[in-house]
Amino acid sequence: GKVEFCLGTEEMHMPTPPDLSQEHFRVFSSVEKSKLPYSQLGLVISSYYETIDVLQASNQRSLKVQALHQLGSLLVFAGKKRAAFKCWCQALDDIFRKQDVLHTWKELGTTVTNATNSCSPPRSKDYSEEFLSRVGIWGCLQGAEISAKIAQFIKVLDVEKRSNCCILSALLFQGLLRTTLPHPKAERCYAQYEITQLLPGIELFSDIYRANICSVVASLYYVIRELHFAKQNIIILPLLALYQYFVAGICQDLVRNLEVRILKIEVLTELSFFSEAFHEIFQIFCGKHMPSFIPTSSRACGKVKMLPQKFLGI
């Protein structure tokens, strides 16, 4: 037989998915789907708002946060940054169950009176641990990504507010390191720390709508670069370890793994952690902690051969 299509006839996008059992496949759009026309973007946005109202009425707070997060990204794409900012702020408030979290999060945090780690002096508050106890793992992950997007797409011209959003995002990302596994609490202890296991038994990125690995990695890297530019190098040491775990352990991305390790060397050098920086250079030279698809036939690095003292000028 001969297959023919009715040219010039296109179907409109409806609020509900079509019933494929009743589909006759007479037009191109029923066989090959193209990207959503910009003219129908308003329909998708209005559908999101209606969905959020339904989730609010049914007390589905977690799904509502996801919808607000996605709607904010869609509104940024549509050029409506003010509306996107409102959605993301509402999502943060729902995560913390507190009003105006973006500007009042410093009021939170557990007061620390004694040093909990010998690597650094005591701090006044441990925000990351408090955030984890308040919002949980998924709340930390969602909140960190939303805060990073606010900094990247909304607070473009205000350096102080952008840095504040990045610090909030960094502390929320660090909340993932405050679980039952004995990860260090002090930032400087991550100068040589490698994360081999983050959350046993929990697949962070099993649900792409709850946590998209590409989006999380992009947001985390933006926060690292922004705080590095602001000379907040101590706070990003745990983020570098977390980013390296994501790109090497989960994504198996050799390029990004090398990229972040070179950045780590730069950060350690600026902090005057020269021995740790040399250790990282040596690890790269030996090909250690690289993604597993590196050919096994690569030559292993032997012991370091120390130069005689006369060549070192000693």
Side-chain angles (χ1 to χ4, degrees), residues 175-213:
L176 301 177
L177 303 172
R178 294 292 194 271
T179 53
T180 55
L181 285 181
H183 297 297
K185 288 188 176 182
E187 286 93 346
R188 64 169 298 168
C189 293
Y190 285 86
Q192 288 187 354
Y193 186 76
E194 299 283 345
I195 300 175
T196 57
Q197 193 175 24
L198 185 60
L199 299 168
I202 298 178
E203 293 290 340
L204 274 181
F205 305 106
S206 59
D207 185 354
I208 191 174
Y209 299 104
R210 174 183 275 185
N212 187 319
I213 180 65

Side-chain angles (χ1 to χ4, degrees), residues 40-54:
Q40 297 192 28
L41 193 59
L43 177 62
V44 178
I45 293 175
S46 63
S47 299
Y48 261 104
Y49 278 116
E50 293 178 6
T51 302
I52 290 169
D53 291 338
V54 172

Side-chain angles (χ1 to χ4, degrees), residues 65-314:
V65 169
Q66 292 182 43
L68 286 168
H69 184 183
Q70 295 170 6
L71 177 58
S73 301
L74 186 61
L75 289 168
V76 167
F77 173 76
K80 301 178 180 180
K81 291 188 176 182
R82 187 183 297 271
F85 179 53
K86 182 179 179 180
C87 286
W88 283 337
C89 286
Q90 186 179 350
L92 284 176
D93 292 347
D94 284 342
I95 289 173
F96 283 87
R97 302 187 184 187
K98 187 178 185 300
Q99 292 295 320
D100 198 22
V101 169
L102 189 64
H103 302 101
T104 62
W105 63 267
K106 292 182 180 179
E107 300 173 3
L108 306 174
T110 304
T111 303
V112 180
T113 55
N114 297 319
T116 57
N117 197 303
S118 59
C119 293
S120 69
R123 296 170 54 182
S124 58
K125 289 186 177 182
D126 188 349
Y127 288 101
S128 299
E129 189 166 344
E130 177 67 19
F131 290 165
L132 180 64
S133 65
R134 277 177 172 264
V135 305
I137 295 171
W138 301 112
C140 284
L141 194 59
Q142 286 269 4
E145 191 177 351
I146 291 171
S147 302
K149 288 183 176 180
I150 291 175
Q152 184 175 5
F153 298 108
I154 307 300
K155 305 297 183 181
V156 179
L157 302 178
D158 195 321
V159 177
E160 183 179 356
K161 291 182 179 180
R162 187 170 71 243
S163 297
N164 185 68
C165 290
C166 287
I167 291 174
L168 173 59
S169 178
L171 293 172
L172 284 165
F173 272 122
Q174 288 188 39
L176 301 177
L177 303 172
R178 294 292 194 271
T179 53
T180 55
L181 285 181
H183 297 297
K185 288 188 176 182
E187 286 93 346
R188 64 169 298 168
C189 293
Y190 285 86
Q192 288 187 354
Y193 186 76
E194 299 283 345
I195 300 175
T196 57
Q197 193 175 24
L198 185 60
L199 299 168
I202 298 178
E203 293 290 340
L204 274 181
F205 305 106
S206 59
D207 185 354
I208 191 174
Y209 299 104
R210 174 183 275 185
N212 187 319
I213 180 65
C214 297
S215 181
V216 170
V217 166
S219 296
L220 179 56
Y221 189 70
Y222 170 80
V223 171
I224 291 172
R225 297 295 303 189
E226 192 67 28
L227 292 178
H228 175 54
F229 179 77
K231 302 301 180 183
Q232 297 280 353
N233 287 324
I234 282 289
I235 196 175
I236 67 176
L237 288 178
L239 306 187
L240 289 167
L242 188 62
Y243 184 87
Q244 187 174 342
Y245 171 78
F246 286 155
V247 298
I250 298 178
C251 299
Q252 298 288 303
D253 192 323
L254 176 62
V255 175
R256 284 182 171 82
N257 180 48
L258 286 172
E259 182 181 42
V260 73
R261 295 178 76 173
I262 293 171
L263 176 60
K264 183 178 180 180
I265 294 170
E266 183 179 346
V267 170
L268 292 172
T269 303
E270 291 183 7
L271 290 170
S272 299
F273 293 173
F274 299 117
S275 60
E276 290 85 352
F278 175 78
H279 175 77
E280 191 66 32
I281 294 173
F282 181 68
Q283 294 283 314
I284 295 175
F285 177 75
C286 293
K288 293 184 178 180
H289 305 295
M290 294 292 185
S292 58
F293 62 79
I294 298 296
T296 55
S297 59
S298 299
R299 183 174 64 88
C301 183
K303 295 182 179 180
V304 181
K305 186 176 181 180
M306 301 301 294
L307 293 174
Q309 291 186 353
K310 62 180 180 180
F311 290 106
L312 298 176
I314 299 177

